[in-house]
Amino acid sequence: MRRQAASEPRSAKSNAARRARFFSAGQLCPMPKHIGIVGVSAEGAALCYRAICVEGAEILGRHAHPEITMHTYPLAAYMRHIETGDWDAVAKLLLASAAKLQASSADLLVCPDNTVHQAIDLLRDQSPLPWLHIATEVATVAVERRFKRVLVLGTQYLMESPVYPSKLGPRGIDHEIPVLEDRKRINALTFDELVYGQFNESTRSYFSDVIAAGKWRGCDAVVLGCTEFPLLISAADSPLPVLDSTRILARAALREAIH
C-alpha cells in the first residue's frame, strides 16, 4: 500500500477517527473539530484566535480549546483586488488559504474579516471545506437579542456592500450606515491606524460620536463590522449595545467545533 505523503490532506475517515477520542481533564470525550482561520488583517485574526482559545477553555476546561490552524496572505495581496472591486480574485486568495488549511486537516473555516465576505458567497461551491459566514452569525445574535434596526460600521467597502443587508433583511432587521463623509473617514482610520494596532483616544471618541448619531436616528444596536473595531470600542465606550462580529464569529466556530 502506498504510504500517504506528508503534503497530502488526511481523508475524512481519518479526520473522524482523529476526533473520535479526546483526552481532557482525566477523561476521554469527543474530540472537537479542527478550526481553520483564514486571516486577512493581523489584528482581527489575532483577536479571533485569542477569543477561541480563551472561551474554549471556559467550555472545555482549563487550558483546553479546539485545534486551530491559521493561514494568511499579506493584507496587501487582498487590497490590490479589493481596491479595484475584483471579488473573484479575492475569492481565489481565500480558496488558496482554504486548500492550505485542508492540508493541515482543518474541518471548518472562519474568516475574521468582514470586508472579504463579499467574496465568500462566490466560492462556497468550490471550497474544499465549509465556511461560517460572519454576517449570518451576527444576524442570528441580533435576532436573539431582539434588535430591530442596527447601525453597521466597517470599512467603506463593507458598509456599501450587500454583506450585512443580505443577512439582516431576511431576518426582519433593518440597518443603516453612516453618511458618506463618515464612511470615508472610518475607512481611512481603519487602514491608517487600526490594522497597525494603533488605537487612539481621538479615534475612539470619533467612533462614539458616529454611534451616538446612529442612536439619534433610531438604531437600537451597532454592528462592529470590522474585526479591529472591538479593540477600539468596547460596550462601555458605545452609546448603543454592541454586536462584536469578531467574538460572535469565534463563538460560532467553537459551537460548530464542539457540537
Side-chain angles (χ1 to χ4, degrees):
M1 181 180 294
R2 183 174 66 90
R3 179 174 296 179
Q4 184 185 48
S7 61
E8 291 179 350
R10 298 180 188 177
S11 68
K13 183 176 180 180
S14 65
N15 276 348
R18 176 174 55 85
R19 292 196 304 270
R21 308 294 280 176
F22 175 60
F23 191 78
S24 175
Q27 295 182 340
L28 290 173
C29 62
M31 178 73 166
K33 293 177 183 177
H34 182 159
I35 299 170
I37 299 178
V38 177
V40 177
S41 64
E43 293 293 332
L47 177 58
C48 184
Y49 170 80
R50 288 197 301 271
I52 292 172
C53 292
V54 171
E55 298 198 21
E58 295 174 0
I59 298 169
L60 296 172
R62 181 175 170 82
H63 303 315
H65 59 74
E67 188 174 358
I68 306 167
T69 301
M70 185 188 302
H71 178 266
T72 179
Y73 288 106
L75 178 58
Y78 282 99
M79 292 308 301
R80 67 171 60 100
H81 302 307
I82 291 171
E83 288 171 350
T84 61
D86 189 348
W87 297 105
D88 287 329
V90 173
K92 288 179 181 178
L93 282 173
L94 295 170
L95 282 171
S97 275
K100 291 176 184 292
L101 291 169
Q102 182 192 36
S104 299
S105 301
D107 298 299
L108 63 101
L109 301 174
V110 294
C111 179
D113 185 282
N114 286 265
T115 296
V116 301
H117 274 69
Q118 292 188 64
I120 286 181
D121 286 333
L122 301 177
L123 60 77
R124 284 188 184 278
D125 292 342
Q126 307 168 59
S127 178
L129 295 171
W131 295 72
L132 299 183
H133 194 291
I134 197 167
T136 298
E137 300 301 334
V138 170
T140 296
V141 174
V143 169
E144 290 171 354
R145 296 178 64 181
R146 299 183 180 181
F147 295 132
K148 299 298 183 184
R149 184 176 184 83
V150 300
L151 176 68
V152 177
L153 300 185
T155 65
Q156 188 170 359
Y157 310 104
L158 182 280
M159 290 185 283
E160 296 175 358
S161 80
V163 170
Y164 274 93
S166 68
K167 307 304 180 185
L168 293 168
R171 305 296 296 273
I173 301 173
D174 292 330
H175 83 286
E176 68 172 70
I177 57 177
V179 298
L180 179 59
E181 180 181 355
D182 286 330
R183 297 199 299 271
K184 290 180 176 179
R185 185 174 176 188
I186 290 169
N187 195 72
L189 290 168
T190 299
F191 289 109
D192 294 343
E193 296 182 11
L194 305 188
V195 299
Y196 293 111
Q198 299 174 20
F199 304 103
N200 299 317
E201 187 57 40
S202 60
T203 302
R204 183 174 295 107
S205 178
Y206 167 68
F207 271 66
S208 181
D209 289 344
V210 171
I211 296 169
K215 181 178 181 179
W216 182 82
R217 293 193 300 271
C219 293
D220 55 4
V222 58
V223 175
L224 299 183
C226 180
T227 45
E228 284 78 22
F229 289 2
L231 295 166
L232 176 73
I233 294 287
S234 69
D237 301 312
S238 175
L240 285 171
V242 165
L243 290 163
D244 177 342
S245 65
T246 313
R247 291 184 175 90
I248 288 172
L249 182 65
R251 290 165 189 152
L254 280 170
R255 178 196 70 217
E256 293 300 313
I258 294 168
H259 299 294

